[in-house]
Amino acid sequence: MTLVPVEAEKKIDEIIARYPVRRSALLPVLWVVQRHVGYLPDEALAWVADKLGLTFMDVATTVSFYTMFTRRPLGRYHIQVCTNVSCLLGGCEEIEAHLKKKLGIGFGETTPDGRFTLSEVECIGACSWAPAMQINFDFHHHLTPEKVDRILDALP
Ligand code: FES
């Protein structure tokens, strides 16, 4: 079985062609691979390293730096709670405690039904509307426990 589908590799080749140096395409290539594989297991990192002429460690250290990349499968909804300064001052600890209690999981864990993964992240660029979280690609801000309940209850 091919780890990276043919259509994804075609897209990756197009991305690489935009850069004068192959390694410069690392972040967008990782993004495409993660979108198609679902996460970035060792095999995916090795594939990317080979594709870009990098070492496995070059790729692994880059992946470990960015919270938008994941080395493990995620739930259907990836809840990313910002705990950086503005959100801390805005009350993210209450949001964190509420989510952990409501979902029965901690940061870095997925609910047994595979529906939710909860993660702690650094600033997501919504400081003016703290506290904030991101669910998959959607931002939610000015959070309260009641608002969190409404958001989660409305998910299909
Ligand atoms: S500190 Fe939370 S969004 Fe910036």
Side-chain angles (χ1 to χ4, degrees), residues 82 84-87 123-127 132:
C82 175
N84 215 309
V85 177
S86 296
C87 287
C123 181
I124 56 175
C127 314

Side-chain angles (χ1 to χ4, degrees), residues 1-65:
M1 189 178 90
T2 307
L3 180 72
V4 178
V6 173
E7 71 271 17
E9 186 162 8
K10 187 169 177 266
K11 174 74 179 165
I12 286 167
D13 288 338
E14 289 171 11
I15 291 170
I16 292 170
R18 292 182 206 151
Y19 295 89
V21 179
R22 291 179 79 81
R23 68 179 301 134
S24 300
L26 178 56
L27 294 180
V29 166
L30 285 168
W31 193 247
V32 172
V33 172
Q34 178 170 279
R35 193 165 61 234
H36 284 274
V37 178
Y39 67 111
L40 296 169
D42 283 353
E43 299 79 14
L45 269 53
W47 188 93
V48 170
D50 187 54
K51 189 78 178 171
L52 296 178
L54 299 169
T55 66
F56 179 90
M57 200 48 75
D58 288 333
V59 179
T61 53
T62 301
V63 167
S64 69
F65 182 79

Side-chain angles (χ1 to χ4, degrees), residues 73-146:
L74 299 174
R76 179 176 176 191
Y77 297 106
H78 184 202
I79 303 172
Q80 300 160 81
V81 181
C82 175
T83 59
N84 215 309
V85 177
S86 296
C87 287
L88 191 61
L89 295 172
C92 73
E93 289 170 314
E94 184 183 20
I95 301 305
E96 173 187 339
H98 183 70
L99 278 164
K100 286 178 174 175
K101 184 175 179 192
K102 182 178 179 74
L103 300 176
I105 56 174
F107 282 145
E109 297 178 343
T110 299
T111 54
D113 62 0
R115 189 165 165 79
F116 297 104
T117 295
L118 189 60
S119 296
E120 177 181 27
V121 295
E122 298 299 326
C123 181
I124 56 175
C127 314
S128 298
W129 309 284
M133 69 177 179
Q134 186 177 343
I135 302 179
N136 295 346
F137 293 105
D138 294 323
F139 286 88
H140 302 277
H141 44 73
H142 290 126
L143 296 174
T144 63
E146 296 74 26

